[in-house]
Amino acid sequence: MKLAVLAIMIAVSSSAGAQTPSSSQILVSKSGTAKTPPDMVTVGFTLRGEGVTSDEASSKLRDSAKAMSAGVAGLLQKAGEYHSSALSIGQVRSKDCDANSYGPQRLSTGPCAIIGYIASMPVTIQTSRVADAGTLVGLIGRLGGLDANLRAFWLRDDTIARRLAMQAALASAQTQARLIAEGSGGRLGPLLRVQDADYREVALDMLPAVQSAEAPPPPPPPAPRAPVRIDLAPEPIQTTVRLMAAYGIDR
């Protein structure tokens, strides 16, 4: 991605009558991007229980949830968070009642009599076992989870990624400012101030040292624990930081 560059020369003249020389500044806006291997993954699926009565459907759903939880725990050990925060129980009617689905409400008699119940519960799993993401989806399908899908790879904490992106942005800003200073017949002076994309001042003593932005190597994949292993190669997470840096000019 080609980074947009905004460079403005700002001449700040001394006040009238003062004997101090005029000073100049270079203001550069630059973006920096860091690519970091994801350390978290979210998987989603639905559990379902069917029965002639509501209690029967709920009981089957409960048993499926227990079996699923045990199977997932066997693969992920303690590295997974199992979330199920919604539940629905719906009535099932004969197909002959479908013609009346969008008409006025009808009693549950005749073709619209209730013949069963379906209990369903959406579930999400968040885990740091990124290397086991594909295997986890396959295991969920084998244990009866419906519509199992890998929803997202992400970072639990993007502090390091943002720091790397800031280093890249500062290095690019410094290079651009130096070219402008030399092109104007001067030399690049010290870094005076830095603002983020929301025009908030960034404390200079909090800035990381300008160096090449290299993401840490990904951790080695764990040994396979499931009968069917599916290996994936997730794209790195891109974290972008935009900064505006002001530099002085030495004449």
Side-chain angles (χ1 to χ4, degrees), residues 131-156:
D132 284 329
T135 305
L136 176 60
V137 173
L139 176 63
I140 290 170
R142 191 178 67 179
L143 294 176
L146 302 178
D147 302 321
N149 63 93
L150 199 160
R151 294 187 177 177
F153 289 101
W154 48 287
L155 296 174
R156 181 185 292 274

Side-chain angles (χ1 to χ4, degrees), residues 16-242:
Q19 299 301 318
T20 57
S22 63
S23 61
S24 299
Q25 293 182 12
I26 299 174
L27 183 62
V28 180
S29 178
K30 274 289 191 177
S31 294
T33 300
K35 295 183 178 181
T36 312
D39 58 11
M40 293 292 295
V41 62
T42 299
V43 172
F45 60 96
T46 300
L47 288 174
R48 175 168 164 155
E50 301 178 6
V52 176
T53 66
S54 174
D55 284 348
E56 183 180 356
S58 298
S59 296
K60 289 184 176 179
L61 175 65
R62 178 198 59 200
D63 295 341
S64 295
K66 288 182 178 180
M68 181 67 70
S69 179
V72 169
L75 174 65
L76 302 180
Q77 300 301 313
K78 296 181 179 180
E81 298 177 7
Y82 193 101
H83 300 285
S84 53
S85 54
L87 173 66
S88 64
I89 300 178
Q91 300 85 9
V92 179
R93 293 175 169 82
S94 169
K95 187 176 181 180
D96 295 334
C97 189
D98 291 350
N100 300 321
S101 297
Y102 298 100
Q105 292 186 351
R106 299 180 183 275
L107 296 176
S108 299
T109 58
C112 290
I114 298 174
I115 59 176
Y117 291 84
I118 295 177
S120 59
M121 180 172 65
V123 179
T124 59
I125 296 175
Q126 296 178 343
T127 177
S128 59
R129 298 282 290 274
V130 174
D132 284 329
T135 305
L136 176 60
V137 173
L139 176 63
I140 290 170
R142 191 178 67 179
L143 294 176
L146 302 178
D147 302 321
N149 63 93
L150 199 160
R151 294 187 177 177
F153 289 101
W154 48 287
L155 296 174
R156 181 185 292 274
D157 185 355
D158 67 350
T159 301
I160 295 178
R162 290 185 62 81
R163 184 179 181 88
L164 292 171
M166 184 177 291
Q167 290 175 353
L170 284 174
S172 182
Q174 186 181 67
T175 298
Q176 184 68 23
R178 180 178 290 109
L179 292 174
I180 295 172
E182 293 173 352
S184 65
R187 290 187 303 108
L188 185 65
L191 178 64
L192 302 177
R193 69 179 186 278
V194 176
Q195 292 179 323
D196 62 16
D198 296 321
Y199 302 99
R200 293 175 300 191
E201 202 80 12
V202 178
L204 298 183
D205 57 355
M206 296 295 292
L207 292 174
V210 175
Q211 59 187 37
S212 59
E214 296 181 359
R225 290 193 175 95
V228 179
R229 180 160 188 89
I230 304 174
D231 293 320
L232 302 176
E235 295 182 358
I237 306 298
Q238 293 194 33
T239 304
T240 300
V241 171
R242 189 169 188 84

